[in-house]
Amino acid sequence: MPDGLLVANAGGAYSPTVAEHALTMMLALIRRLPDAAIAHARQEWDRSIQRDMGSLEGRTVTMLGFGSIGVETARRLKPFGARVIAATRSASPHPLADEVVPIGDLASVLPRTDVLYACLPLGDATRGLIGRTVLDALPDHALVINVARGAVVDKTALLAALLEGRIGGAGLDVTDPEPLPADDPLWRAPNLIITPHVAGNGSAAVDQRLAAVTVDNVNRLAAGAPLTHLVTPRIMD
C-alpha cells in the first residue's frame, strides 16, 4: 500500500442483510425447501420430504468468526431456540454466544455441530479451512453455510461430502472461483443452494448505514481524528 494512503471499509453496514441471507439458507435447507421446489416443478404432491425435515430449535450453530456478521446472525438465531458456538482467534466471551472456543479447538465442537457457518476473513490460516478433515468430523445431517469467501471451503472436499451424503447440505453465497463456471460439477450437487455473492444486497437500510459510515469518516478526516474501520495492509493481503 502506498505511504499515506488510508483505506476504510464499510464496517458492519452489510452485516444485518448478510445475516438474514445466511439464516434464510439455514431454514431453507433444514426445512427441505429445495426438495419441495423440485416437487413443485414436477407438479407432485410429495410429502416424503417430511422424513428429513428438521428445525433450528435446539440445534447448535458453530460460527467460524464472530465479527459483526456473526453477531447479527446470532441475534437472529436466538428467537429460533438455536444454540450458538463461536470459534474465534481470541475466544472472548460474548452475550450472544452460548459457548466460545479458540479456532484452534474447532475439532472439539464439530461432532455436536448441526450447522457450520463461515463468516470470517480469508487469509493463509483460513484458506481451505472447511476441508475433508472438518467435514468428516461433522454429523451426517450437518449443514455448511458460507457467506465469507469461497476459498474458505475446499470445493472438492465439499462436493465429495455432498455426493456421498456425508453432510446434510450446504448453502454458498460465495464460491471459488467467482463466477462459478457453468460446467462446474458443484452446480449439480444434491442438497446445495448457491447464490451469486448477493447476501449483502436488498435493503435500503444498507445505503443509510454506508452513508453514515462515510460521512463520519469524512468528518473525522477533516478534524484530524482517527478513522473508523481502517483496513490494514495485512487484511488486504
Side-chain angles (χ1 to χ4, degrees), residues 133-160:
T133 300
V134 167
L135 293 170
D136 282 352
L138 292 169
D140 59 9
H141 67 268
L143 306 177
V144 173
I145 306 293
N146 185 14
V147 296
R149 290 292 182 267
V152 168
V153 174
D154 181 329
K155 184 175 68 174
T156 301
L158 178 65
L159 176 61

Short mmCIF file of all heavy atoms in Angstrom, two decimals, residues 133-160:
data_model
loop_
_atom_site.label_atom_id
_atom_site.label_comp_id
_atom_site.label_asym_id
_atom_site.label_seq_id
_atom_site.Cartn_x
_atom_site.Cartn_y
_atom_site.Cartn_z
N THR A 133 -11.07 -32.99 6.52
CA THR A 133 -10.98 -33.32 7.94
C THR A 133 -12.14 -32.72 8.73
O THR A 133 -12.76 -33.39 9.56
CB THR A 133 -9.65 -32.82 8.53
OG1 THR A 133 -8.56 -33.46 7.84
CG2 THR A 133 -9.55 -33.15 10.00
N VAL A 134 -12.44 -31.46 8.47
CA VAL A 134 -13.54 -30.79 9.17
C VAL A 134 -14.88 -31.41 8.78
O VAL A 134 -15.73 -31.70 9.63
CB VAL A 134 -13.53 -29.28 8.88
CG1 VAL A 134 -14.84 -28.62 9.31
CG2 VAL A 134 -12.35 -28.61 9.58
N LEU A 135 -15.08 -31.63 7.50
CA LEU A 135 -16.35 -32.18 7.03
C LEU A 135 -16.59 -33.59 7.58
O LEU A 135 -17.72 -33.93 7.94
CB LEU A 135 -16.38 -32.20 5.51
CG LEU A 135 -16.40 -30.81 4.83
CD1 LEU A 135 -16.18 -30.94 3.33
CD2 LEU A 135 -17.72 -30.09 5.11
N ASP A 136 -15.55 -34.39 7.67
CA ASP A 136 -15.70 -35.74 8.18
C ASP A 136 -16.04 -35.77 9.67
O ASP A 136 -16.61 -36.74 10.17
CB ASP A 136 -14.42 -36.55 7.95
CG ASP A 136 -14.31 -37.03 6.51
OD1 ASP A 136 -15.28 -36.87 5.75
OD2 ASP A 136 -13.24 -37.57 6.15
N ALA A 137 -15.67 -34.68 10.38
CA ALA A 137 -15.93 -34.63 11.82
C ALA A 137 -17.35 -34.19 12.14
O ALA A 137 -17.80 -34.31 13.28
CB ALA A 137 -14.93 -33.69 12.49
N LEU A 138 -18.07 -33.69 11.15
CA LEU A 138 -19.45 -33.24 11.36
C LEU A 138 -20.42 -34.43 11.36
O LEU A 138 -20.16 -35.44 10.70
CB LEU A 138 -19.86 -32.27 10.26
CG LEU A 138 -19.17 -30.91 10.22
CD1 LEU A 138 -19.49 -30.19 8.91
CD2 LEU A 138 -19.59 -30.05 11.42
N PRO A 139 -21.55 -34.31 12.05
CA PRO A 139 -22.60 -35.32 11.92
C PRO A 139 -23.10 -35.37 10.47
O PRO A 139 -23.02 -34.37 9.75
CB PRO A 139 -23.70 -34.82 12.86
CG PRO A 139 -23.03 -33.86 13.78
CD PRO A 139 -21.91 -33.24 13.00
N ASP A 140 -23.65 -36.50 10.06
CA ASP A 140 -24.03 -36.62 8.64
C ASP A 140 -25.26 -35.80 8.28
O ASP A 140 -25.59 -35.67 7.10
CB ASP A 140 -24.23 -38.09 8.25
CG ASP A 140 -25.31 -38.79 9.08
OD1 ASP A 140 -26.03 -38.12 9.84
OD2 ASP A 140 -25.43 -40.02 8.96
N HIS A 141 -25.94 -35.22 9.28
CA HIS A 141 -27.08 -34.35 8.98
C HIS A 141 -26.67 -32.88 8.95
O HIS A 141 -27.50 -32.02 8.62
CB HIS A 141 -28.18 -34.52 10.03
CG HIS A 141 -27.78 -34.03 11.38
ND1 HIS A 141 -27.20 -34.86 12.32
CD2 HIS A 141 -27.83 -32.79 11.97
CE1 HIS A 141 -26.93 -34.16 13.41
NE2 HIS A 141 -27.29 -32.90 13.23
N ALA A 142 -25.43 -32.56 9.26
CA ALA A 142 -24.99 -31.17 9.43
C ALA A 142 -25.03 -30.39 8.12
O ALA A 142 -24.83 -30.95 7.03
CB ALA A 142 -23.58 -31.12 10.02
N LEU A 143 -25.26 -29.09 8.26
CA LEU A 143 -25.25 -28.18 7.12
C LEU A 143 -23.99 -27.33 7.16
O LEU A 143 -23.47 -27.02 8.24
CB LEU A 143 -26.47 -27.26 7.15
CG LEU A 143 -27.84 -27.91 7.25
CD1 LEU A 143 -28.93 -26.83 7.34
CD2 LEU A 143 -28.09 -28.82 6.05
N VAL A 144 -23.52 -26.90 5.99
CA VAL A 144 -22.40 -25.97 5.87
C VAL A 144 -22.91 -24.73 5.16
O VAL A 144 -23.48 -24.82 4.06
CB VAL A 144 -21.23 -26.59 5.09
CG1 VAL A 144 -20.14 -25.54 4.83
CG2 VAL A 144 -20.64 -27.78 5.85
N ILE A 145 -22.71 -23.57 5.78
CA ILE A 145 -23.13 -22.29 5.20
C ILE A 145 -21.90 -21.40 5.08
O ILE A 145 -21.16 -21.22 6.06
CB ILE A 145 -24.19 -21.59 6.09
CG1 ILE A 145 -25.38 -22.51 6.37
CG2 ILE A 145 -24.63 -20.28 5.44
CD1 ILE A 145 -26.22 -22.84 5.17
N ASN A 146 -21.69 -20.82 3.91
CA ASN A 146 -20.53 -19.94 3.72
C ASN A 146 -20.96 -18.61 3.11
O ASN A 146 -21.43 -18.56 1.96
CB ASN A 146 -19.49 -20.61 2.81
CG ASN A 146 -18.22 -19.79 2.68
OD1 ASN A 146 -17.99 -18.84 3.44
ND2 ASN A 146 -17.38 -20.13 1.72
N VAL A 147 -20.81 -17.54 3.89
CA VAL A 147 -21.04 -16.18 3.38
C VAL A 147 -19.75 -15.37 3.51
O VAL A 147 -19.78 -14.14 3.45
CB VAL A 147 -22.19 -15.47 4.12
CG1 VAL A 147 -23.51 -16.18 3.87
CG2 VAL A 147 -21.91 -15.36 5.62
N ALA A 148 -18.63 -16.06 3.68
CA ALA A 148 -17.34 -15.39 3.88
C ALA A 148 -16.66 -15.17 2.53
O ALA A 148 -16.97 -14.22 1.81
CB ALA A 148 -16.48 -16.24 4.83
N ARG A 149 -15.74 -16.04 2.18
CA ARG A 149 -15.09 -16.05 0.88
C ARG A 149 -15.06 -17.49 0.39
O ARG A 149 -14.94 -18.44 1.18
CB ARG A 149 -13.67 -15.49 0.96
CG ARG A 149 -13.61 -13.99 1.21
CD ARG A 149 -14.13 -13.20 0.01
NE ARG A 149 -14.06 -11.76 0.18
CZ ARG A 149 -15.04 -11.00 0.64
NH1 ARG A 149 -16.18 -11.57 1.01
NH2 ARG A 149 -14.91 -9.69 0.75
N GLY A 150 -15.16 -17.66 -0.92
CA GLY A 150 -15.27 -19.00 -1.47
C GLY A 150 -14.15 -19.93 -1.08
O GLY A 150 -14.37 -21.12 -0.81
N ALA A 151 -12.93 -19.41 -1.02
CA ALA A 151 -11.77 -20.24 -0.77
C ALA A 151 -11.66 -20.72 0.68
O ALA A 151 -10.78 -21.52 1.00
CB ALA A 151 -10.49 -19.51 -1.17
N VAL A 152 -12.54 -20.24 1.56
CA VAL A 152 -12.57 -20.77 2.93
C VAL A 152 -12.98 -22.25 2.90
O VAL A 152 -12.59 -23.03 3.77
CB VAL A 152 -13.53 -19.95 3.81
CG1 VAL A 152 -13.81 -20.64 5.14
CG2 VAL A 152 -12.96 -18.56 4.05
N VAL A 153 -13.74 -22.62 1.88
CA VAL A 153 -14.21 -24.00 1.73
C VAL A 153 -13.40 -24.69 0.64
O VAL A 153 -13.19 -24.14 -0.44
CB VAL A 153 -15.71 -24.03 1.35
CG1 VAL A 153 -16.16 -25.44 1.03
CG2 VAL A 153 -16.54 -23.44 2.48
N ASP A 154 -12.94 -25.90 0.93
CA ASP A 154 -12.31 -26.75 -0.07
C ASP A 154 -13.43 -27.30 -0.95
O ASP A 154 -14.18 -28.19 -0.53
CB ASP A 154 -11.54 -27.88 0.63
CG ASP A 154 -10.84 -28.81 -0.36
OD1 ASP A 154 -11.33 -28.99 -1.49
OD2 ASP A 154 -9.81 -29.38 0.02
N LYS A 155 -13.54 -26.76 -2.15
CA LYS A 155 -14.67 -27.09 -3.02
C LYS A 155 -14.72 -28.57 -3.36
O LYS A 155 -15.79 -29.19 -3.40
CB LYS A 155 -14.59 -26.24 -4.29
CG LYS A 155 -15.76 -26.43 -5.24
CD LYS A 155 -15.68 -25.48 -6.42
CE LYS A 155 -14.51 -25.81 -7.33
NZ LYS A 155 -14.52 -24.99 -8.56
N THR A 156 -13.56 -29.17 -3.61
CA THR A 156 -13.51 -30.59 -3.96
C THR A 156 -14.00 -31.45 -2.80
O THR A 156 -14.77 -32.39 -2.99
CB THR A 156 -12.08 -30.99 -4.35
OG1 THR A 156 -11.66 -30.20 -5.46
CG2 THR A 156 -12.02 -32.46 -4.73
N ALA A 157 -13.57 -31.10 -1.59
CA ALA A 157 -13.99 -31.86 -0.41
C ALA A 157 -15.48 -31.70 -0.15
O ALA A 157 -16.17 -32.66 0.23
CB ALA A 157 -13.18 -31.42 0.80
N LEU A 158 -16.00 -30.48 -0.35
CA LEU A 158 -17.43 -30.25 -0.14
C LEU A 158 -18.26 -31.03 -1.14
O LEU A 158 -19.27 -31.65 -0.78
CB LEU A 158 -17.74 -28.75 -0.26
CG LEU A 158 -19.22 -28.39 -0.09
CD1 LEU A 158 -19.69 -28.69 1.33
CD2 LEU A 158 -19.46 -26.92 -0.43
N LEU A 159 -17.85 -31.01 -2.39
CA LEU A 159 -18.59 -31.73 -3.43
C LEU A 159 -18.65 -33.22 -3.09
O LEU A 159 -19.71 -33.85 -3.18
CB LEU A 159 -17.93 -31.51 -4.79
CG LEU A 159 -18.54 -32.29 -5.96
CD1 LEU A 159 -19.99 -31.90 -6.17
CD2 LEU A 159 -17.73 -32.04 -7.24
N ALA A 160 -17.51 -33.78 -2.69
CA ALA A 160 -17.48 -35.21 -2.33
C ALA A 160 -18.40 -35.50 -1.15
O ALA A 160 -19.13 -36.51 -1.14
CB ALA A 160 -16.05 -35.63 -2.02
#
